[in-house]
Amino acid sequence: MELIGYGIIALKIIVSISILNVWLLQKNKATKWRGGTAKTIFEEFEVYGFSKQFCYIIGTLKVALALILLISIQLDALTLIGSLGLSLLLFGSILAHIKIKDIWYKSFPAFLFIVLNLIIAYSAF
């Protein structure tokens, strides 16, 4: 395997673990990245004007897509599903931050992970 291939594997791991961390381990913890003044992921969705059920749907999709991205290390055919699916959801995150007029830096993680996911997707071609 080429060095680029190892780099893409590293990106898949970084993106996946980061998404899983946010949605499974850090969901009830305050961070400087949360929208508005929210302390938990549920509060953040409330700030955006979304329901708790919508939070569960998005969380389930993000966790599933992060796992798909991890599995794509072995099954390349899943790469585009995981990376482009996460990119779409992360773009929605940026729009939610814009909707409530958040400070720009709160959108930075979503923007960064979109860029990483697009690099991963590009590598699949």
Side-chain angles (χ1 to χ4, degrees):
M1 181 180 287
E2 298 176 18
L3 185 58
I4 297 280
Y6 289 115
I8 296 301
I9 289 171
L11 289 179
K12 288 179 179 184
I13 292 169
I14 290 165
V15 169
S16 297
I17 297 301
S18 296
I19 298 291
L20 293 171
N21 178 52
V22 167
W23 281 90
L24 300 177
L25 301 178
Q26 303 294 324
K27 68 182 181 204
N28 293 318
K29 296 181 181 174
T31 75
K32 67 180 181 177
W33 312 110
R34 297 236 182 263
T37 58
K39 303 287 186 235
T40 70
I41 207 139
F42 297 112
E43 288 178 17
E44 186 172 16
F45 271 68
E46 193 175 302
V47 166
Y48 297 142
F50 302 136
S51 69
K52 194 171 189 176
Q53 292 80 9
F54 188 66
C55 181
Y56 282 117
I57 291 167
I58 296 299
T60 300
L61 287 171
K62 282 191 177 181
V63 167
L65 289 166
L67 292 173
I68 287 169
L69 195 59
L70 276 177
I71 293 166
S72 78
I73 292 169
Q74 289 295 316
L75 299 172
D76 276 338
L78 297 176
T79 298
L80 288 177
I81 294 168
S83 62
L84 293 179
L86 283 171
S87 293
L88 181 65
L89 293 176
L90 290 163
F91 182 70
S93 300
I94 292 172
L95 292 178
H97 283 287
I98 291 169
K99 175 185 174 188
I100 65 165
K101 297 176 175 55
D102 252 340
I103 299 168
W104 70 269
Y105 77 82
K106 290 191 176 196
S107 296
F108 179 74
F111 175 77
L112 174 63
F113 284 105
I114 287 172
V115 170
L116 297 179
N117 273 299
L118 292 177
I119 291 168
I120 292 166
Y122 180 77
S123 76
F125 289 107

